[in-house]
Amino acid sequence: MATYGLTSEEYNLLLAAQGGRCAICQETRRGNLAVDHCHRTEAIRGLLCARCNGQLLARGARDRPEVLRRAADYLESYPAWQVLGPRYTHDGKDEGE
Ligand SMILES: [Zn+2]
């Protein structure tokens, strides 16, 4: 398990403070939680699962919080629905209307 820059006591303290979960998606598989750090400042940020650490933050948002805020807004309010009205990819025959 990766515990870069933390003693095992510090890791366990942090893990307990996070309720044994990934700080973002709440994943609980303990073996999956790695120490996340800022690649620019090398500051230790917290414990994250591989998906949140490697894909969501690093690949997807590239550590930009404003991107993640916009992503949350996007999923809660589709731009296409704002402009075009609610619309699905199929023709609606399965919708029962
Ligand atoms: Zn996660």
Side-chain angles (χ1 to χ4, degrees):
M1 176 187 301
T3 56
Y4 310 108
L6 292 180
T7 66
S8 59
E9 277 139 5
E10 290 170 328
Y11 181 93
N12 288 331
L13 209 66
L14 192 50
L15 185 67
Q18 291 186 199
R21 299 165 180 273
C22 170
I24 295 177
C25 74
Q26 311 282 280
E27 161 79 72
T28 55
R29 280 177 296 170
R30 184 189 164 126
N32 268 3
L33 299 181
V35 179
D36 171 53
H37 60 276
C38 173
H39 293 94
R40 188 168 48 81
T41 65
E42 310 217 324
I44 293 167
R45 296 192 291 209
L47 304 180
L48 294 178
C49 75
R51 267 194 308 267
C52 291
N53 190 14
Q55 316 232 333
L56 182 63
L57 291 192
R59 280 185 183 220
R62 287 187 283 148
D63 280 352
R64 292 169 298 176
E66 70 277 13
V67 169
L68 293 167
R69 288 192 185 99
R70 280 197 294 270
D73 291 342
Y74 177 89
L75 290 177
E76 288 179 347
S77 176
Y78 310 147
W81 285 25
Q82 301 300 310
V83 175
L84 309 172
R87 191 182 290 189
Y88 294 85
T89 56
H90 54 79
D91 62 12
K93 279 177 188 157
D94 299 325
E95 296 292 287
E97 44 182 90

